[in-house]
Amino acid sequence: MRHAVFLVFDDVAGCARVRISSGRPKSVRDVPLADSLSAWIRAENATLAVTSVSAEAPNAPELDALQADGFLGAPVYGPDKDVIGVLAAVHSSPREWAGLHGTKLENLAHLITQEIMLRASFETLRLMSAERVRMNS
């Protein structure tokens, strides 16, 4: 079974909050950051493809939390251009990821980043407009 997940980093709790959005019932879970594939993606600021998590990274919490053996993840950026999360494709069994898979996932992660930036820009404009109205009153 394969599905898409979005992991958002929660540094206070020391975990990544996981939203599973396709292939399974929608749910939210926590994945500890220690030894996680998501933390590697964040630290290296790079896409990561793992054919078999059980063989290549047996201590990765994604293996149990997501029931994922095949893992492909790309960074998603916030308004400060820092990695705030990971968009991932996961598979319940080992999976060879082609270069095209990584490229497509990176493109989707980029679209999510653009949406985050757009929303942050709108919020900034809203706050500036409210401040301007307040100053002119």
Side-chain angles (χ1 to χ4, degrees):
M1 181 192 318
R2 59 187 167 199
H3 50 273
V5 297
F6 184 57
L7 302 98
V8 179
F9 296 115
D10 182 345
D11 292 323
V12 174
C15 68
R17 305 256 183 234
V18 179
R19 285 216 176 256
I20 299 174
S21 62
S22 67
R24 298 171 67 177
K26 291 183 180 181
S27 64
V28 177
R29 296 191 180 131
D30 291 346
V31 173
L33 289 178
D35 300 321
S36 74
L37 301 173
S38 303
W40 184 94
I41 291 168
R42 182 188 215 181
E44 297 298 318
N45 193 21
T47 299
L48 176 65
V50 180
T51 300
S52 174
V53 176
S54 60
E56 299 173 50
N59 295 329
E62 288 90 349
L63 185 61
D64 290 326
L66 305 176
Q67 292 88 43
D69 203 10
F71 180 93
L72 176 64
V76 173
Y77 301 92
D80 295 328
K81 298 181 181 161
D82 55 330
V83 178
I84 62 164
V86 171
L87 179 64
V90 297
H91 201 283
S92 58
S93 58
R95 167 77 187 237
E96 280 290 330
W97 301 101
L100 184 58
H101 292 126
T103 300
K104 285 184 176 183
L105 191 70
E106 288 169 350
N107 289 340
L108 290 171
H110 182 70
L111 288 173
I112 293 170
T113 296
Q114 288 179 324
E115 177 72 16
I116 291 167
M117 300 295 206
L118 185 61
R119 288 182 184 212
S121 296
F122 283 144
E123 181 63 14
T124 299
L125 288 171
R126 186 188 69 73
L127 293 172
M128 290 173 65
S129 178
E131 181 65 18
R132 183 182 218 178
V133 167
R134 188 186 65 75
M135 291 176 69
N136 291 332
S137 297

